[in-house]
Amino acid sequence: MAQAKTKTVWMCSDCGNESPKWMGRCPACGAWNTMVEERVSVGPQASAGGALRQGVVSSSAPVSLSSVSSSGERRISLGLPEVDRLLGGGLVEGSLVLIGGEPGIGKSTLSLQIPLCNPSLKTLYVTGEESVRQVKLRSDRLGGDASNCLVLSETMVENILDSARGISPGLMIVDSVQTMYSEGLESSPGSVSQIKETAALLLRFAKETGIPVILIGHITKEGSIAGPKILEHIVDVVLQFEGEDKGQYRLLRSIKNRFGSTSELAVFEMTGTGLKEVANPSELLIPMHGEGLSGIAVAALMDGTRPFLIEVQSLVSSAAYGTPQRTATGFDPRRLNMLLAVLEKRAGFRLAAKDVFLNMAGGLRITEPACDLAIVAAVLSSNIDFCIPSDVCFAGEVGLSGEIRPVPQTDRRIIEAQRLGFRKIYVSSYSSFPEKTAARGIAVARVGDIAALCRNLFK
């Protein structure tokens, strides 16, 4: 049998595009300085997963779409209700799930908690970064039942698949995909070609056997998952951890989900015994202090279908070094500058010579525009040293003309605020919601612009 030959090509680390020579800019995705040199095999034995280039499962005949059953997929519970909800009701059989995040944020902890929290699910835990003893020490710290969790320390994907076929687990977890390699390629683990081939082999295994596979992946300093973009295209679900590694809370966000919604969010609290699910984030993110503090406002936000309330903290002081500072933690500094410019132009507040510091409680990163109204209220409260009552919250977007624009699902925000004991909520005067929502024991104050907010709030 003819032997495979090797050749050197240049691959884009972002999209995986191949080029026979080095180029400063990838012609496929347009990224600069992403071409890396790879040695690849060509010939009849070039790729163990080459059949995937022709289809997910070989030797399949075309079928009529009308004859295909549209009944729901069978889902497997992972023993973690928040993760099951994020996946759309559980893990679909034969699916390939990718969990990404920065080092130390809790990816390996969460992946090991899955078999420990669901001992009825036979799980094969493949570790390429740690020894079996290290996994055992971590499982002892996390607690739980490890009787049905099998650990394999291996990095060659062919050996992993052979072991999985012999064991026939209900779930396979691979930590991490960047450490795996295929014997059909000569490039080193973590290279573009190895990541593509490893993911292709694992996808084929999952689709042929019906065994779901969870991959753990690292992310780059830019915040994207390491490896070519084709990795995210291959998998069925992409979940990404967010949050500061030294902070208390972690956010698990759905980036891609072929079996459910991508507008869901799960909140975890990092403890000494692992990640603890936070079923009601609002109770942890709202004020935990006494009365009489200025510069604090509460925002009623939505993430997917879940409403939650978060504390916004602001500090406004005279610039001590001539040039005023604009610092935002957990919020876009450019949008903060825009809101401050609106206050200067439309409301007459002189903030150009003052330092403005903004912080989102809990170390969370907020991108929803509905937080604008709470930020404006917190900045004004700190500027005039006026305390906003702790039972008041805000939900509204601020436009460049100083108008307060409505935000979606206002009724759900009002209901959540009322449930947590808030007595008043400020919304846009253009918001529309059922009248019965406004009669739930909470006062709804409608304001049309920043001037109306100041008159109503600081009277």
Side-chain angles (χ1 to χ4, degrees):
M1 181 178 294
Q3 297 294 322
K5 299 180 180 180
T6 61
K7 69 173 183 178
T8 299
V9 298
W10 293 86
M11 286 189 176
C12 174
S13 59
D14 281 359
C15 67
N17 181 62
E18 296 184 12
S19 174
K21 61 181 181 179
W22 181 87
M23 304 178 71
R25 184 180 185 184
C26 175
C29 66
W32 288 91
N33 299 322
T34 57
M35 305 299 288
V36 294
E37 188 176 13
E38 298 277 357
R39 295 186 64 189
V40 298
S41 300
V42 295
Q45 296 177 341
S47 173
L52 272 177
R53 296 189 177 94
Q54 304 300 326
V56 174
V57 181
S58 60
S59 303
S60 59
V63 296
S64 173
L65 186 60
S66 60
S67 65
V68 179
S69 174
S70 60
S71 58
E73 305 90 354
R74 184 176 180 270
R75 295 182 180 266
I76 302 171
S77 175
L78 298 180
L80 298 170
E82 287 297 295
V83 179
D84 288 343
R85 181 184 59 82
L86 193 64
L87 292 171
L91 194 61
V92 176
E93 289 186 346
S95 61
L96 187 61
V97 179
L98 175 64
I99 300 178
E102 296 177 353
I105 203 167
K107 304 183 301 296
S108 299
T109 299
L110 178 65
S111 62
L112 187 56
Q113 280 187 235
I114 290 174
L116 296 179
C117 294
N118 192 0
S120 61
L121 180 63
K122 186 177 181 181
T123 305
L124 175 61
Y125 188 92
V126 182
T127 172
E129 300 179 346
E130 299 175 304
S131 65
V132 175
R133 177 175 174 81
Q134 287 176 306
V135 176
K136 171 61 177 175
L137 293 174
R138 185 150 47 90
S139 68
D140 292 341
R141 176 176 60 85
L142 298 176
D145 188 352
S147 59
N148 214 8
C149 178
L150 307 175
V151 182
L152 174 64
S153 181
E154 179 61 71
T155 55
M156 184 183 292
V157 68
E158 286 81 7
N159 293 342
I160 294 171
L161 297 181
D162 289 341
S163 299
R165 289 188 178 96
I167 296 171
S168 296
L171 171 66
M172 184 167 73
I173 301 173
V174 179
D175 185 12
S176 64
V177 67
Q178 280 83 13
T179 62
M180 302 296 152
Y181 72 96
S182 171
E183 63 178 351
L185 301 177
E186 294 187 2
S187 54
S188 60
S191 62
V192 174
S193 55
Q194 284 289 2
I195 292 177
K196 289 169 59 178
E197 184 70 11
T198 299
L201 287 169
L202 292 172
L203 175 66
R204 184 181 182 88
F205 168 79
K207 300 304 180 184
E208 289 182 344
T209 62
I211 299 173
V213 179
I214 296 178
L215 304 178
I216 306 299
H218 303 298
I219 66 173
T220 63
K221 61 182 181 180
E222 290 82 13
S224 59
I225 295 176
K229 275 294 181 182
I230 193 173
L231 176 62
E232 297 182 44
H233 295 311
I234 287 177
V235 300
D236 298 307
V237 181
V238 179
L239 305 179
Q240 186 160 329
F241 261 115
E242 298 177 0
E244 300 293 334
D245 55 354
K246 297 180 178 59
Q248 185 179 7
Y249 301 109
R250 307 285 192 271
L251 301 182
L252 187 61
R253 193 183 301 275
S254 177
I255 306 298
K256 171 187 176 182
N257 192 350
R258 288 176 177 159
F259 310 108
S261 173
T262 57
S263 59
E264 295 293 340
L265 175 76
V267 182
F268 295 88
E269 181 183 5
M270 179 60 78
T271 66
T273 57
L275 291 167
K276 178 183 177 183
E277 293 178 306
V278 180
N280 188 3
S282 299
E283 295 181 350
L284 299 176
L285 301 176
I286 56 179
M288 299 181 183
H289 47 70
E291 297 281 351
L293 298 180
S294 62
I296 293 177
V298 178
L301 305 180
M302 294 287 299
D303 200 292
T305 60
R306 163 178 283 184
F308 67 96
L309 276 68
I310 183 174
E311 177 182 292
V312 177
Q313 302 171 347
S314 176
L315 176 63
V316 180
S317 61
S318 299
Y321 303 103
T323 302
Q325 301 182 58
R326 301 287 188 263
T327 304
T329 303
F331 191 74
D332 187 358
R334 294 172 297 181
R335 191 165 185 86
L336 173 62
N337 289 331
M338 184 203 77
L339 296 175
L340 296 178
V342 171
L343 289 177
E344 286 260 2
K345 179 71 175 181
R346 305 300 180 185
F349 287 91
R350 304 304 177 191
L351 302 173
K354 295 185 177 181
D355 294 334
V356 179
F357 303 92
L358 185 70
N359 178 55
M360 299 295 165
L364 302 185
R365 185 170 298 278
I366 304 300
T367 58
E368 192 187 8
C371 192
D372 291 352
L373 196 58
I375 292 174
V376 168
V379 169
L380 294 179
S381 170
S382 178
N383 184 49
I384 64 177
D385 199 19
F386 178 87
C387 173
I388 299 175
S390 59
D391 56 357
V392 174
C393 61
F394 305 84
E397 177 185 356
V398 177
L400 291 179
S401 299
E403 80 280 9
I404 299 175
R405 305 173 64 86
V407 293
Q409 305 186 64
T410 303
D411 54 338
R412 301 197 63 178
R413 304 171 198 262
I414 295 174
I415 293 173
E416 177 72 5
Q418 187 272 336
R419 189 182 66 82
L420 292 172
F422 284 81
R423 297 183 179 275
K424 191 173 186 178
I425 180 171
Y426 284 85
V427 300
S428 170
S429 58
Y430 305 101
S431 299
S432 60
F433 46 85
E435 290 297 330
K436 61 180 181 180
T437 303
R440 299 179 64 94
I442 181 172
V444 179
R446 297 174 177 267
V447 288
D449 51 28
I450 298 296
L453 173 68
C454 296
R455 290 193 301 267
N456 197 310
L457 184 61
F458 302 119
K459 57 184 178 181

